[in-house]
Amino acid sequence: MDTCSRILLLLLLLHSAAVLSLSTHVALVYPQDPVLRVGSNLTASCWVPPDAGVHASSLYWTLNGQRLPASTYRTLSPSNLSVTLSGLNASRQTSGDNLVCHNHKGHILAGSCIYVGMPPEKPLNLTCWSRNTKDLTCSWAPGGKGETSISTQYLLKYKLRWYGKEKECEEYTHIQPYSCSITRDLHLFTPYEIWVEASNQLGRASSDVIMLDILDVVTTDPPSGVTVSRVGQLEDQLSVRWEAPPALKDFLFQAKYQIRYRLEDSQDWKVMDDVGNQTSCRLAGLRPGTVYFVQVRCNPVGIYGSRKAGIWSEWSHPTAASTPHSERAASGSCDPKSSGDSNSTLRRELKQFFGWARKHAYGCSSMSMKLYDQWRVLMQKSHKARNQVLQGDKS
Ligand SMILES: *[C@@H]1O[C@H](CO)[C@@H](O)[C@H](O)[C@H]1NC(C)=O
Ligand SMILES: *[C@@H]1O[C@H](CO)[C@@H](O)[C@H](O)[C@H]1NC(C)=O
Ligand SMILES: *[C@@H]1O[C@H](CO)[C@@H](O)[C@H](O)[C@H]1NC(C)=O
Ligand SMILES: *[C@@H]1O[C@H](CO)[C@@H](O)[C@H](O)[C@H]1NC(C)=O
Ligand SMILES: *[C@@H]1O[C@H](CO)[C@@H](O)[C@H](O)[C@H]1NC(C)=O
Ligand SMILES: *[C@@H]1O[C@H](CO)[C@@H](O)[C@H](O)[C@H]1NC(C)=O
């Protein structure tokens, strides 16, 4: 029993004295619980037993507790009073509106729940993914303004292309509305045709049919065991390591990873999307003495030779680490002008180096990192040499 019917029953029970006084007969409202389109007209009637000693013209109507004007009534017979509602609005609540017939003392004689809404519109944005090839989950958006006040049922239907029988998805997830998971009899090497059918008491509508191979829509768990650590005393670098998602270890596939990182107090993530299939990477060009948050995600590419990229996993939980303080900040005893100059020179050179490395090496490969370390040692030596020369000049 829905809320509207329950309210009506409760009201009737509360007024049972009035009902009893109408002899053994009970008043009736017709029609009972109609379902109507927004904007339509409804004529309802309240019938009282002729032997109750109540004349229809002494009755009145309320809708959701609001008295309806007498101009909308018609006395059809001494025992039958009608009311006409025109241009109905959508029900205020999904449980329907209360249309109630009262006697002249205000006692409730009978009532009806009326449901006013719209037929469903074509469901939109149907998309599907498979977690580790173990299921096929699809979600969609209701069409139009969504569900009107009359409840709409959604069915996810599918069949295997070429020879399949039409089937219905049965596991509607409660975590996410408008989604359903197929978990049994999955076919990894046959395309599926999938669509959604929406229906309510006023009509039905189908989404577009989408076609897909499960292997092309695989997603996986975020990489586990993400650790971020310093690279010795290098103040502008952090090293990130992680493990491949274990659920996919038995599959023939190529994982692709992405890293993103941000400053502790910033919302702007910087994404490194050329990490490839390695399970470690070095972040460079960072600010010294600063806390960074790092996340990693995985895309299972080419499972069993699928041609398409998979779907990115969620990002791993953020892992935080800080870069070492720069020597300048720690000591603070140098001539600010000259050291600032040389550091900015270094920074410019670093920038140049990374520009060069990005062009010439694969983004996060250990090759370019080794190169960078060598280059850096070289730079430090040359600076030292220069400083010694300068000091030598002074003395
Ligand atoms: C509802 O009634 C009005 C007159 O009160 C009429 O003009 C209108 O066409 C009716 N609408 C429908 C959907 O029957
Ligand atoms: C009351 O009037 C309505 C409208 O004419 C009719 O449909 C209904 O059957 C009548 N009810 C009774 C109990 O006569
Ligand atoms: C529908 O809503 C409008 C504005 O909210 C109101 O003026 C009108 O009386 C309502 N119609 C009915 C049949 O309740
Ligand atoms: C459907 O997807 C499109 C594009 O992604 C988006 O703009 C639109 O808001 C979505 N519609 C619904 C009802 O979610
Ligand atoms: C990563 O990809 C390269 C080629 O792109 C391949 O040779 C290597 O085996 C892959 N490594 C792993 C762990 O899959
Ligand atoms: C950068 O500045 C710090 C502090 O002033 C100084 O110790 C360091 O040697 C500078 N680095 C280079 C490469 O010049």
Side-chain angles (χ1 to χ4, degrees):
M1 202 188 285
D2 62 42
T3 326
C4 175
S5 315
R6 223 175 295 145
I7 291 170
L8 280 177
L9 187 69
L10 191 68
L11 290 171
L12 283 169
L13 287 175
L14 285 172
H15 291 77
S16 57
V19 176
L20 284 177
S21 73
L22 288 169
S23 80
T24 51
H25 292 98
V26 195
L28 288 174
V29 167
Y30 174 87
Q32 278 292 304
D33 307 341
V35 180
L36 302 153
R37 247 183 124 110
V38 170
S40 62
N41 301 334
L42 169 71
T43 298
S45 59
C46 178
W47 175 83
V48 281
D51 58 351
V54 175
H55 197 278
S57 60
S58 71
L59 307 175
Y60 69 91
W61 292 94
T62 57
L63 182 64
N64 293 327
Q66 295 274 315
R67 192 167 175 150
L68 294 168
S71 58
T72 58
Y73 304 170
R74 263 184 68 205
T75 309
L76 303 171
S77 74
S79 58
N80 201 346
L81 177 76
S82 76
V83 64
T84 298
L85 304 167
S86 51
L88 285 166
N89 292 326
S91 292
R92 268 200 266 157
Q93 57 245 340
T94 48
S95 57
D97 297 318
N98 293 304
L99 180 64
V100 173
C101 169
H102 303 254
N103 70 9
H104 69 285
K105 286 187 195 143
H107 293 140
I108 289 171
L109 302 182
S112 178
C113 295
I114 61 179
Y115 302 89
V116 187
M118 291 298 281
E121 288 186 43
K122 176 178 165 176
L124 301 171
N125 292 3
L126 175 60
T127 55
C128 304
W129 61 93
S130 171
R131 196 167 202 87
N132 300 317
T133 72
K134 298 293 185 285
D135 68 358
L136 182 60
T137 299
C138 300
S139 75
W140 59 93
K145 279 186 238 149
E147 283 185 72
T148 53
S149 19
I150 55 177
S151 69
T152 299
Q153 192 193 17
Y154 292 89
L155 290 178
L156 182 76
K157 295 194 175 178
Y158 62 98
K159 63 177 183 138
L160 292 172
R161 205 179 175 190
W162 300 313
Y163 54 84
K165 238 178 43 201
E166 186 177 310
K167 288 186 186 163
E168 263 174 37
C169 178
E170 280 159 12
E171 292 177 37
Y172 290 86
T173 55
H174 298 289
I175 309 149
Q176 200 184 349
Y178 310 120
S179 65
C180 188
S181 290
I182 304 162
T183 52
R184 273 178 294 174
D185 298 330
L186 292 174
H187 292 247
L188 294 188
F189 300 99
T190 312
Y192 278 77
E193 287 176 9
I194 307 175
W195 67 99
V196 179
E197 289 178 9
S199 62
N200 66 21
Q201 286 163 288
L202 294 174
R204 56 181 58 244
S206 282
S207 71
D208 291 334
V209 178
I210 61 168
M211 203 129 51
L212 57 84
D213 274 299
I214 289 185
L215 292 179
D216 290 342
V217 295
V218 179
T219 187
T220 189
D221 315 307
S224 58
V226 178
T227 58
V228 183
S229 48
R230 292 182 178 181
V231 184
Q233 279 308 303
L234 294 179
E235 73 236 9
D236 67 335
Q237 298 195 22
L238 288 170
S239 154
V240 189
R241 293 178 181 283
W242 59 92
E243 284 153 32
L248 286 178
K249 71 175 191 308
D250 297 332
F251 286 94
L252 187 66
F253 81 110
Q254 288 249 314
K256 207 166 76 175
Y257 297 98
Q258 256 183 1
I259 302 177
R260 69 175 187 180
Y261 59 98
R262 65 171 172 85
L263 295 170
E264 186 181 21
D265 52 5
S266 159
Q267 289 307 311
D268 299 331
W269 291 98
K270 202 165 173 235
V271 178
M272 293 195 61
D273 56 5
D274 49 1
V275 180
N277 66 355
Q278 308 168 76
T279 53
S280 68
C281 181
R282 232 194 265 176
L283 307 177
L286 306 179
R287 259 192 230 167
T290 305
V291 175
Y292 281 87
F293 286 120
V294 182
Q295 292 179 299
V296 187
R297 65 178 181 175
C298 177
N299 188 334
V301 181
I303 294 198
Y304 288 134
S306 156
R307 296 271 171 78
K308 292 192 186 161
I311 296 172
W312 285 106
S313 73
E314 301 283 309
W315 290 103
S316 61
H317 288 299
T319 306
S322 65
T323 48
H325 281 282
S326 66
E327 287 161 35
R328 175 174 41 139
S331 69
S333 62
C334 305
D335 177 1
K337 232 182 219 162
S338 68
S339 74
D341 283 353
S342 66
N343 270 325
S344 72
T345 311
L346 175 61
R347 230 166 250 137
R348 208 178 318 125
E349 283 165 345
L350 267 175
K351 244 187 182 164
Q352 282 167 359
F353 170 79
F354 276 106
W356 175 86
R358 224 167 279 133
K359 267 188 215 129
H360 294 85
Y362 185 49
C364 192
S365 71
S366 40
M367 231 284 267
S368 64
M369 277 306 150
K370 236 177 248 160
L371 242 154
Y372 168 72
D373 288 345
Q374 285 170 6
W375 181 82
R376 185 154 174 136
V377 166
L378 229 125
M379 287 298 294
Q380 268 160 3
K381 269 188 197 152
S382 78
H383 273 282
K384 232 179 239 162
R386 211 185 304 159
N387 285 347
Q388 273 164 6
V389 170
L390 283 173
Q391 272 161 13
D393 279 355
K394 266 184 214 155
S395 60

